[in-house]
Amino acid sequence: QVQLVESGGGLVQAGGSLRLSCAASGRTLSRYTMGWFRQNPGKEREFVAATNWGGSSTYYADSVKGRFTISRDNAKNTVYLQINFLTPADTAVYYCAAELFGSVSGMSRRNIDYWGQGTQVTVSS
């Protein structure tokens, strides 16, 4: 089993930055592809970024490419999401996700095996 705990969300002005963390625990984490999703009330949960533990592969949604960076620290079993140049459109609950034997470019909300509880990011004008 896998448990995911997000942290690092908060209130920030447009143009600012945040770094989200996802602390993962489990015996077979290397078998999972890791990603970030976000969601607002009344809207579908959307893909943001994905990476893997064993390599350096990353994949981003077009809406965040160039502003967001996903990374991981294997020794700490932690995945990060660096968010730069924030806009109000980035306001959402951000969720960490794990997909067993997934692909970095193929993650979707329908395939996720484990979700974190989410962390709120609010961007003010």
Side-chain angles (χ1 to χ4, degrees):
Q1 302 295 88
V2 173
Q3 292 187 354
L4 308 172
V5 180
E6 303 97 330
S7 62
L11 175 64
V12 63
Q13 291 185 336
S17 299
L18 283 174
R19 190 192 192 195
L20 308 183
S21 298
C22 172
S25 61
R27 294 182 295 177
T28 57
L29 291 179
S30 63
R31 302 180 183 180
Y32 292 84
T33 299
M34 306 299 298
W36 288 93
F37 291 73
R38 65 186 183 184
Q39 185 175 28
N40 272 319
K43 297 183 179 180
E44 294 182 344
R45 189 169 298 185
E46 64 172 330
F47 170 79
V48 173
T51 190
N52 60 345
W53 296 106
S56 59
S57 297
T58 59
Y59 191 79
Y60 299 92
D62 289 341
S63 60
V64 306
K65 193 175 300 181
R67 298 189 299 119
F68 289 24
T69 303
I70 188 170
S71 61
R72 71 270 186 269
D73 186 334
N74 289 11
K76 296 181 178 180
N77 293 331
T78 300
V79 180
Y80 304 97
L81 185 68
Q82 179 68 41
I83 311 176
N84 297 325
F85 305 105
L86 281 159
T87 74
D90 296 317
T91 295
V93 177
Y94 284 71
Y95 296 91
C96 185
E99 179 184 350
L100 182 63
F101 300 128
S103 65
V104 170
S105 61
M107 293 194 80
S108 72
R109 63 185 183 276
R110 292 174 293 276
N111 301 328
I112 301 304
D113 296 291
Y114 297 97
W115 293 101
Q117 84 289 345
T119 184
Q120 176 71 51
V121 172
T122 302
V123 184
S124 62
S125 301

